[in-house]
Amino acid sequence: ACAGGSDASPRQSPTASSAGTSTAWLSATPFKAGPAVSRFASGPTAVITADGTYVTAAPVDADAPVPLLPPLVGRSLSDAGRATIKAEAERLGLLDGKRDFRSVIALPGGVLGRLELTAEGGPVTLVGEPDSKLLCIPPLCDPVPGTPEAFGDLWRRIVDPVPWLGGELGAESPFVPAAYALLVGPAPAPDPAVGASIVDWPLAVPLATFGVPVAKDSHRCGIVSGADAEALRPALEGASQQSQWVQDPATSATFGIQVRPIFGGEDPCAETFGG
């Protein structure tokens, strides 16, 4: 679980968090300033774990309710594939000491991206705009090294690795995280079109006392791992973002849950709310 306390002021820059240390080799995380509660579930778009598994989200049915836990797929990544990623970051001038690649005309409140990758000497955190791109069609031009466009070019390659890394990736298979961070709060309003979706909370710990208080005690945040994660996973996979969770179907108390898969020892509770 993470430490308690009130919700900190919204972070305006997606820098690396000192709360919790990830062992992932690389992660690409979109970021948008706003209240911590609304940012909690915005986890990485792509992750390369310490053992070389390349994890991305699988497509979902656009007409179905938004799943609470997006399906994840993993592919093995060769050592040559890792070397290719690092070489491309170097070619694009992203490992020369500069870390912030936001443009001077970046729109306030826009989506930013945080790339954390392992380079010579340890982890490096880069910040930029995922949508920064050249006004031309490759291969007629390449981004100037060390520019916002160079950051955007690497970001797009990382979140869509198959066309780029090709044979360095193994076959696709479902990826099952070993742990989850959960944010428990008020139940969401039911969808008028389909009504309330009720999900039974399967763990012995009461929802009302799960984790520790955060966000001025309006929510509770904690981590589920081991046997509890195994027991909870089917319910998470079957729920949507509009699901209302109950401890006991015979009671009327309902809760809302946001979830973040954990890939490499990070603590999303402490990262988001301080700890």
Side-chain angles (χ1 to χ4, degrees):
C2 62
S6 297
D7 187 2
S9 299
R11 291 184 175 88
Q12 298 303 312
S13 179
T15 55
S17 171
S18 60
T21 301
S22 175
T23 60
W25 188 83
L26 177 148
S27 65
T29 306
F31 176 92
K32 187 173 183 179
V37 167
S38 67
R39 291 187 282 110
F40 176 81
S42 299
T45 300
V47 171
I48 301 174
T49 65
D51 66 359
T53 302
Y54 210 127
V55 184
T56 55
V60 296
D61 185 353
D63 295 327
V66 179
L68 179 65
L69 183 65
L72 301 173
V73 296
R75 306 172 179 88
S76 62
L77 177 67
S78 68
D79 290 341
R82 293 201 207 193
T84 297
I85 295 172
K86 191 183 299 183
E88 186 66 5
E90 292 172 345
R91 186 187 75 82
L92 291 169
L94 303 179
L95 300 180
D96 293 339
K98 182 180 178 181
R99 297 292 179 258
D100 193 331
F101 297 93
R102 285 174 284 189
S103 68
V104 295
I105 58 172
L107 295 176
V111 175
L112 299 176
R114 182 180 66 226
L115 279 177
E116 297 178 84
L117 68 154
T118 305
E120 300 299 333
V124 173
T125 300
L126 312 175
V127 177
E129 298 157 64
D131 292 333
S132 291
K133 52 189 174 182
L134 295 169
L135 298 178
C136 58
I137 302 174
L140 300 178
C141 57
D142 282 318
V144 175
T147 61
E149 292 78 16
F151 177 92
D153 186 67
L154 182 62
W155 178 279
R156 285 186 291 277
R157 292 172 183 263
I158 286 172
V159 300
D160 187 18
V162 175
W164 175 35
L165 296 173
E168 305 304 331
L169 292 166
E172 182 181 293
S173 62
F175 179 83
V176 180
Y180 303 93
L182 303 181
L183 182 64
V184 179
D191 186 337
V194 298
S197 168
I198 304 298
V199 181
D200 188 26
W201 172 256
L203 303 184
V205 57
L207 271 168
T209 58
F210 173 83
V212 295
V214 296
K216 299 180 180 179
D217 298 347
S218 66
H219 292 69
R220 301 183 69 88
C221 198
I223 291 175
V224 177
S225 60
D228 282 347
E230 293 287 340
L232 182 59
R233 185 174 295 116
L236 294 177
E237 292 176 341
S240 76
Q241 293 184 7
Q242 294 301 116
S243 293
Q244 300 186 10
W245 292 73
V246 295
Q247 183 74 42
D248 182 341
T251 70
S252 59
T254 58
F255 298 84
I257 290 180
Q258 297 182 52
V259 60
R260 278 267 302 273
I262 293 178
F263 298 98
E266 68 272 20
D267 185 342
C269 295
E271 174 190 336
T272 305
F273 299 102

